[in-house]
Amino acid sequence: MNPVHKKIPVLMHNGKPVCELLIQVQYIDEVWHHKSPLLPSDPYQRAIARFWADFADKKLGRKTWATKGEEQETAKKELVESLKLLEGELGDNPEFDGEYLGFVDVALVPFYSWFYAYEKCANFSIEAECPKLIAWAKRCKQKESVSKSLPDREKIYGFVLHLKKMYGIE
């Protein structure tokens, strides 16, 4: 468990916890860089990858399900705008970092499990708004390493409903 925020996800490696998603992805890249690097070798491309991973981490949060009414509509609009920017960055590439699963892909794909909850709570379709981004997520999910590590979207939705009830957002 994260010692400050008392939450997960926490990566355990050699009996030591590594907290927060982006820090975990950077840690994985540093520890196993010689086997399968996640960040590009070019410093500028590394900076770009870090920017987009940070953007996703900051913009794809809970507002869509944790609000209602006009505030939720604004949150939904902001989420779609952020997703469209990410979709534009993806372009026609199979992965964000080109041909192979890289840093941005690994940082962004966990949000795919939350998309269903966002859609159900705010009554919209991310796929209708951002078809290339959803096609990318589905390609990522075809990889065994990704499909085995992502939580089930129905479980996430159930968790979100529990949180909404707990916080009185229903």
Side-chain angles (χ1 to χ4, degrees):
M1 182 172 293
N2 181 315
V4 175
H5 303 291
K6 307 293 186 219
K7 62 181 184 176
I8 54 174
V10 173
L11 170 69
M12 295 298 292
H13 183 236
N14 293 332
K16 297 176 184 173
V18 179
C19 305
E20 301 300 326
L21 179 63
L22 287 183
I23 295 167
Q24 291 167 355
V25 176
Q26 290 178 22
Y27 180 84
I28 289 167
D29 183 64
E30 291 170 7
V31 171
W32 291 285
H33 185 78
H34 62 286
K35 290 184 179 181
S36 184
L38 294 174
L39 282 164
S41 58
D42 177 68
Y44 178 74
Q45 293 303 316
R46 281 196 307 272
I48 296 299
R50 286 184 177 121
F51 168 82
W52 285 110
D54 183 63
F55 175 85
D57 191 50
K58 289 178 179 169
K59 295 289 186 177
L60 307 183
R62 62 190 293 261
K63 280 190 198 176
T64 306
W65 65 261
T67 55
K68 54 187 176 180
E70 197 172 308
E71 190 178 359
Q72 186 180 57
E73 287 301 312
T74 300
K76 180 170 56 173
K77 182 180 176 188
E78 290 171 0
L79 175 67
V80 169
E81 288 172 2
S82 296
L83 292 173
K84 285 184 178 192
L85 285 171
L86 286 162
E87 187 175 63
E89 180 62 18
L90 174 64
D92 292 324
N93 294 318
E95 312 296 345
F96 275 91
D97 296 326
E99 296 294 320
Y100 303 101
L101 201 66
F103 189 77
V104 178
D105 303 292
V106 173
L108 179 59
V109 78
F111 288 101
Y112 180 60
S113 296
W114 288 82
F115 286 0
Y116 180 70
Y118 297 166
E119 292 172 324
K120 294 287 279 184
C121 292
N123 194 29
F124 74 113
S125 168
I126 293 174
E127 188 165 18
E129 298 285 345
C130 302
K132 285 183 180 181
L133 191 65
I134 296 302
W136 160 82
K138 289 178 179 178
R139 279 192 307 275
C140 286
K141 202 158 184 217
Q142 290 174 350
K143 295 173 183 4
E144 184 180 5
S145 60
V146 174
S147 64
K148 284 186 171 185
S149 64
L150 291 182
D152 178 74
R153 70 185 199 156
E154 292 287 343
K155 288 182 180 178
I156 295 287
Y157 180 55
F159 176 65
V160 164
L161 291 178
H162 170 75
L163 290 175
K164 285 174 70 85
K165 187 174 183 177
M166 191 171 78
Y167 293 122
I169 304 171
E170 296 180 302

